[in-house]
Amino acid sequence: MTSPTSPEEPWPVRTVARKIAEWINRLGQIWVEGQITQISMRPGAQTAFLTLRDPSADVSLTLTCSASLLRAMDPPLTDGSRVVVHGKPTFFVGRGTLSLRVDEIRAVGIGELLARIERLRQLLKTEGLFDPARKRPLPFLPNRVGLITGRASAAEHDVLTNAQLRWPAVQFEIRNVAVQGTNAVPQILPALQELDRLPEVDVIVMARGGGSVEDLLPFSDEALCRAVAACRTPVVSAIGHEPDSPLLDHVADVRCSTPTGAGKRVVPDVAEEGQRIHQLRDRARRALHGWVDRERRLLDQLRSRPVLADPHGPLQQRSEQVAMLRERSRRAMSAVLTAEGHAVNATRSRLTTLGPAATLARGYAIVQRIEETDEVDGVLRSVDDAPAGTRLRVRLADGAVHAVVPD
């Protein structure tokens, strides 16, 4: 029968169920790992029904097996047991349901679980999820603290009590989830993503008390570890006690050995901070007083200097110096003028003594020869030296000048 091409040619239910059964029967035998969440076996019944759940997701699968196989398990299976089953997928056409027909069930022991956790630890470490460089510091004083923990648990009480003792005004955004068993990871993941989306939440604390290895298995789940690594909000891991070390401790930004330690780590101590503020105020007061004292001493030193202590004194000194220099300049100038006056008088005396006026005053005359152009040619020492017919100019003692022509 070919696929219908129109609503007028639909397949009947029996045909669809049969084709689905044929396709599922071709899958063959498979191995499946999961966690037992429900066991249903009636007394005297030949078939037992179980529910196998994925520890990391809200997905389950129905198992059917012979009652004798279930009774032969040692130790007996209980809710929460981790198992590996071998079987064949079967589709029941009459009920339209899918189940896994199981012919072998193997309980996963603690040793195997620890080995798987160690392999996952190496894988996550190789991918860099444990690298200290990617871990974010916690805020000094968070606006609001997100808390993921069990409902009414001791871990919730320890975190809230210790945080409020240190900082009474701290505010929490609490999400109560299952912290062990098959429902733990499917409930923790949505709560973590919801808190990470809230802008007022500055840090997220995941807290749980101590327990067995099986109880702490959800906090070594790969999906949860990767979700914590992808958070933009810093995450604090407070799982179990000091010896417990689930993989979440290595992926989280900060690890606290106990929920009590987480309550003390996420907020500061108000008493210590108040004391630190007082110390800083005292240091600031002392520093300010020291600075004021230094500046006051500097002002006192400046005011004690002569130029500021007696501002008119330097001006008076400079005025006296200017007056003294003016007097020295006057005396020096007077001395120079006197010396030059004496020199001028001496020169005048020499000129008077050697000049023609002195000669005339002694009764002598000065005779000068006059050329044709009436220019004086010079002083004659003797009239006899002049040629005949030469005109002479004679200056007498009384200052009169006469022009004569000697014979």
Side-chain angles (χ1 to χ4, degrees), residues 286-305 308:
R286 290 194 299 269
L288 181 58
H289 288 172
W291 178 79
V292 171
D293 292 340
R294 287 195 303 271
E295 296 301 320
R296 182 180 292 113
R297 288 194 298 269
L298 178 60
L299 290 176
D300 293 340
Q301 293 174 1
L302 293 175
R303 287 188 299 177
S304 64
R305 292 181 179 180
L308 294 179

Side-chain angles (χ1 to χ4, degrees), residues 342-355 358:
H342 293 328
V344 169
N345 293 334
T347 303
R348 184 183 295 114
S349 299
R350 287 197 300 271
L351 292 176
T352 301
T353 303
L354 300 177

